[in-house]
Amino acid sequence: MSEENVKKIRNFAILAHIDHGKSTLADRMLELTGTIEKRKMKDQVLDRMDLERERGITIKLQPVSMKFKVSGNEEYLFNLIDTPGHVDFTYEVSRSLAAVEGAILLVDATQGIQAQTLANLYLALEENLAIIPVVNKIDLPAADIEKTKNEIMELIGCKEEEIICASGKTGEGVADILQAVVNKVAAPSAKSAGGGNDKSIYEKPLRALIFDSTYDEYRGVLAFIRVMEGRIKKGEKIYLMATKAKSEAVDAGIFTPDYKSTGELKAGEIGYIATGFKNVNECRVGDTITNVNFAAQGGIGLSAPVTGLKGYKEVKPMVFAGIFPQEGNEYQQLREAMEKLKLNDAALTYEPEHSDALGFGFRSGFLGLLHLEIFQERLKREYNLDIVVTTPSVAYRVFLKSVKSLDQRRLKNIDADGALVIHSPHELPDLSQIEKIEEPWVTLDVIIPKDYMGAAMNLIQDKRGVYVNTEFINVTRAILHYTAPMATILTDFYDKIKSVSSGYASVNYEFSGYKPADVVKMDVLVAEDEVESLSMIVYRDEAFRRGKEVVETLKETLPRQMFVIKLQAAIGGKVIASERLSAMRKDVTAKLYGGDVTRKRKLLEKQKKGKKKMMEHGKGSVEIPSDTFIKILKR
Ligand code: GTP
């Protein structure tokens, strides 16, 4: 493209609540623009991972470049980024938004505005993006277009004629959306990239934002970039401003959505570069790529030093779990797999951990339980690793009577207020040393039809939520505003609120701060051995109920053994709940017929003795299936 042609570029993201049809609408755009031939088209083509297609959810952001002639017969280059809708993957959305100038806000006409519609809209407004409102799925008989339009007008204060009606199924409205993108979304400019306007955007020193990355066995680290200023060519020596790492751009290209080498990317464009980095720590999302010549203060031939772009806020993990290889000798493989996965999952955090029972592993942070589940699944599929996951826990702040007894490692976890931050039940110090414990709270927004409000409010109260207020979207639907402990919302709240509202409620939450909590550590014993991975922190007044639930769930989930197994929950060594998992009884008398009672009794006696022996030997060797914690949490 010539200098003038930056004016013919439009970069935008598609935002919506989960399942409102982002990936399907993107399919129609790819067809209309001829980016993918109709015969090669498959549903939700931008969901690149098998896992996404099987589950029908988008997990990763996905960019794609399309060329299309809109009215007036002028060809435009559209760079679209499809984003996930689930709250656990919001970081993917916010990173996408920093790389574009506009956003399509899709609302399903049968559902109306939902919790992530609002959350994503606010993210887009923070980035000052142009918003194009679209009512989607208008082909469905249950679509209520008028009502949805009214909700949108109320929300963003736009006029009715600005809202486009579309269907990702029939393709209706898709050309209008692209036309609106041309009219309303600004072309990239040095100004939108945060720089001055004195030079052409192409002539400025290179500054490109890394908004995502992945690891390629052959080409090393691939960085997904938005070039803000200047240009980057294959073979160019690059410098990363935050990590100070140097390398060579082995390749540069665009997404079709496959990688297509073009040899160069210019200001305003979105694409990838193969960085040549083999060490995954050298390339981080949010970093700025420039040319090695501009790295030194002032650079060569520059009047002022090149400064890094704004980058991203660090994400705050909400829930933590221990990750251990199932086979102890796979620790090294696990470490390498996690490093590579981190490149493609920027919200993942981890640090090494050692446990007496589980060996070497990692304490990892996630944005929610779905994030953790997906992570576990990806390790298995992409790296062929089976792992043990300990019961997830939020981070607690523990105020100690004295920090003198803490070792060096734990002193590092003292925060600015002097509290010890713990991410695992095992880090909880002895009760006698504790002055108070605090837990994280969230602001909770639930969008719900009026008829289900009562049931929802009862549920939230059960979850220790504190009512703030109710805001009506229209006469039939409202937003309930609450605050609640994060620990009660992360577990089964989502499933339960869906169930009490016949699926109509939607939920969004955000960390808001810490509040005092009366909690204790509960241990779980199987065959009288403590199972470290199942320990959890529970509210003192719920401990008996939780203990009972846990041993009952274990009884249902654990495979039966040749001997009876005791299942117990205990607090500070005192058993608070107990169950027995009966033995698998092999029918040793099967071959007997007739009424020889003594012979039968003898055989059974022999079996009993054998089992006793096995139990003595087999104590603690009961294998706990790796998904047990999910079953326990979701009870
Ligand atoms: P996430 O990324 O997981 O949040 O989902 P999404 O917003 O990308 O939604 P997706 O495109 O996966 O569509 C969700 C479901 O709605 C799928 O079953 C689609 O087939 C269906 N769907 C999407 N758009 C339309 C539409 O315009 N009309 C009809 N009838 N169905 C649609």
Side-chain angles (χ1 to χ4, degrees):
M1 279 193 173
S2 73
E3 294 283 299
E4 267 302 288
N5 280 350
V6 72
K7 296 200 179 106
K8 300 274 175 60
I9 298 179
R10 294 295 182 273
N11 299 315
F12 65 100
I14 309 188
L15 307 178
H17 186 75
I18 189 158
D19 275 350
H20 280 203
K22 293 175 291 290
S23 306
T24 307
L25 185 77
D27 286 351
R28 297 293 86 74
M29 289 183 177
L30 292 169
E31 260 172 30
L32 180 70
T33 57
T35 311
I36 293 187
E37 286 173 55
K38 211 159 186 164
R39 64 184 176 88
K40 288 192 183 156
M41 197 69 200
K42 46 185 181 180
D43 283 350
Q44 284 112 38
V45 77
L46 290 188
D47 287 343
R48 313 285 291 165
M49 282 192 264
D50 289 343
L51 189 56
E52 292 181 305
R53 308 175 61 79
E54 278 164 32
R55 293 213 178 197
I57 52 168
T58 307
I59 295 161
K60 284 298 302 169
L61 64 88
Q62 178 60 49
V64 62
S65 300
M66 308 176 285
K67 281 192 178 155
F68 188 57
K69 284 183 182 161
V70 291
S71 64
N73 230 12
E74 284 185 294
E75 187 171 76
Y76 281 80
L77 169 66
F78 294 94
N79 292 310
L80 147 72
I81 306 183
D82 187 22
T83 64
H86 192 281
V87 58
D88 278 18
F89 306 113
T90 301
Y91 195 45
E92 297 285 314
V93 180
S94 63
R95 295 202 321 277
S96 308
L97 296 181
V100 297
E101 281 83 21
I104 293 175
L105 186 71
L106 269 196
V107 184
D108 183 331
T110 66
Q111 308 260 309
I113 285 169
Q114 296 293 343
Q116 268 79 51
T117 320
L118 296 182
N120 289 335
L121 170 69
Y122 296 142
L123 288 176
L125 292 176
E126 267 174 42
E127 290 286 338
N128 281 325
L129 301 189
I131 309 286
I132 298 173
V134 174
V135 176
N136 193 29
K137 304 199 189 181
I138 55 165
D139 61 286
L140 285 173
D144 193 336
I145 300 173
E146 282 317 302
K147 194 164 141 199
T148 312
K149 275 186 170 173
N150 283 329
E151 287 184 4
I152 295 177
M153 285 190 283
E154 186 71 25
L155 177 67
I156 59 177
C158 65
K159 295 198 191 86
E160 186 175 351
E161 53 271 27
E162 290 177 64
I163 303 174
I164 301 170
C165 293
S167 161
K169 185 152 193 173
T170 65
E172 192 179 338
V174 176
D176 297 337
I177 297 177
L178 290 179
Q179 181 67 59
V181 169
V182 167
N183 298 347
K184 284 187 155 181
V185 178
S189 68
K191 212 157 144 217
S192 74
N197 244 339
D198 48 339
K199 262 189 191 166
S200 138
I201 185 167
Y202 292 130
E203 285 169 38
K204 286 176 163 259
L206 168 68
R207 293 205 299 170
L209 173 71
I210 305 177
F211 62 90
D212 201 7
S213 56
T214 189
Y215 191 81
D216 181 286
E217 278 309 318
Y218 305 105
R219 294 182 289 180
V221 179
L222 301 181
F224 292 18
I225 59 169
R226 156 71 196 267
V227 184
M228 296 296 183
E229 292 154 4
R231 48 180 89 209
I232 182 165
K233 277 202 182 84
K234 182 176 167 174
E236 187 168 336
K237 298 271 186 293
I238 54 168
Y239 175 76
L240 270 65
M241 302 195 70
T243 63
K244 302 192 168 33
K246 289 176 191 165
S247 187
E248 181 184 314
V250 189
D251 190 15
I254 56 167
F255 302 96
T256 63
D258 296 328
Y259 302 109
K260 184 182 169 202
S261 176
T262 55
E264 186 181 24
L265 287 170
K266 294 195 288 295
E269 296 180 356
I270 289 176
Y272 72 91
I273 58 164
T275 61
F277 290 123
K278 290 287 176 210
N279 181 349
V280 294
N281 292 319
E282 289 172 316
C283 186
R284 286 270 172 254
V285 294
D287 207 343
T288 304
I289 298 182
T290 188
N291 185 296
V292 164
N293 291 338
F294 305 139
Q297 266 249 332
I300 294 173
L302 294 181
S303 53
V306 176
T307 50
L309 297 160
K310 191 174 75 174
Y312 299 113
K313 266 193 284 187
E314 284 264 322
V315 267
K316 233 184 158 50
M318 302 262 198
V319 43
F320 299 83
I323 306 293
F324 296 88
Q326 224 157 51
E327 304 294 332
N329 58 3
E330 284 183 344
Y331 173 75
Q332 194 57 25
Q333 279 118 292
L334 177 62
R335 197 173 62 89
E336 282 167 24
M338 290 193 51
E339 277 178 6
K340 287 176 186 165
L341 204 53
K342 162 90 189 160
L343 269 184
N344 198 231
D345 181 357
L348 174 71
T349 62
Y350 61 87
E351 54 182 62
E353 181 178 40
H354 179 261
S355 131
D356 290 340
L358 299 164
F360 287 98
F362 299 94
R363 174 101 330 229
S364 307
F366 303 90
L367 293 185
L369 287 185
L370 180 63
H371 184 202
L372 166 57
E373 250 184 280
I374 296 290
F375 161 82
Q376 187 177 357
E377 187 72 31
R378 287 187 72 183
L379 271 184
K380 200 178 170 113
R381 286 176 185 229
E382 295 169 33
Y383 299 93
N384 205 13
L385 278 169
D386 274 318
I387 51 171
V388 176
V389 181
T390 65
T391 310
S393 162
V394 296
Y396 291 89
R397 300 205 320 160
V398 185
F399 290 84
L400 295 165
K401 289 177 183 151
S402 154
V403 293
K404 279 195 196 121
S405 60
L406 292 180
D407 58 30
Q408 213 51 34
R409 190 179 60 83
R410 305 198 84 192
L411 278 175
K412 272 202 315 219
N413 291 335
I414 299 280
D415 70 7
D417 298 327
L420 174 70
V421 181
I422 63 159
H423 298 116
S424 138
H426 289 278
E427 295 172 359
L428 191 67
D430 191 68
L431 273 183
S432 62
Q433 298 174 32
I434 298 175
E435 204 162 85
K436 70 168 175 174
I437 301 178
E438 287 184 349
E439 63 176 335
W441 276 58
V442 292
T443 52
L444 175 70
D445 301 332
V446 179
I447 298 193
I448 193 157
K450 208 173 68 190
D451 296 348
Y452 298 101
M453 266 167 61
M457 288 169 111
N458 285 339
L459 172 67
I460 305 173
Q461 203 162 352
D462 274 357
K463 294 284 175 193
R464 297 171 176 261
V466 176
Y467 177 74
V468 179
N469 65 357
T470 305
E471 208 181 322
F472 277 88
I473 296 178
N474 52 38
V475 286
T476 57
R477 294 202 310 145
I479 314 178
L480 300 175
H481 295 286
Y482 273 84
T483 60
M486 188 188 283
T488 66
I489 299 303
L490 283 177
T491 51
D492 57 353
F493 180 70
Y494 189 77
D495 295 342
K496 289 215 163 124
I497 194 101
K498 283 275 175 202
S499 129
V500 302
S501 66
S502 305
Y504 287 118
S506 66
V507 177
N508 193 55
Y509 52 78
E510 218 172 295
F511 170 72
S512 61
Y514 278 87
K515 285 189 186 181
D518 189 10
V519 290
V520 286
K521 175 172 159 245
M522 183 170 85
D523 295 316
V524 176
L525 293 89
V526 173
E528 296 184 352
D529 256 356
E530 187 188 320
V531 183
E532 200 180 307
S533 60
L534 294 182
S535 295
M536 57 187 84
I537 291 176
V538 296
Y539 294 106
R540 194 188 298 273
D541 59 4
E542 287 181 7
F544 282 98
R545 185 173 60 77
R546 287 291 289 147
K548 203 157 169 283
E549 271 176 14
V550 170
V551 290
E552 278 170 10
T553 313
L554 279 178
K555 190 175 170 185
E556 288 159 20
T557 13
L558 289 188
R560 290 208 283 167
Q561 310 287 320
M562 295 302 288
F563 43 85
V564 176
I565 301 175
K566 264 198 214 163
L567 308 167
Q568 296 164 312
I571 289 175
K574 189 172 153 245
V575 174
I576 55 163
S578 175
E579 277 286 349
R580 291 171 89 80
L581 181 64
S582 57
M584 194 160 48
R585 189 171 132 174
K586 190 173 159 203
D587 195 356
V588 285
T589 62
K591 283 194 198 126
L592 287 182
Y593 45 90
D596 186 353
V597 182
T598 33
R599 173 105 183 95
K600 193 169 175 180
R601 196 176 298 143
K602 235 182 184 168
L603 277 172
L604 286 174
E605 207 54 44
K606 200 171 144 203
Q607 188 190 36
K608 208 163 146 191
K609 263 195 203 145
K611 281 188 183 176
K612 192 165 171 229
K613 214 164 154 194
M614 255 196 304
M615 190 154 162
E616 275 158 12
H617 288 176
K619 223 163 89 170
S621 66
V622 181
E623 217 172 276
I624 317 280
S626 61
D627 60 347
T628 309
F629 76 88
I630 297 224
K631 292 197 171 123
I632 289 178
L633 283 181
K634 290 207 163 158
R635 236 191 109 101

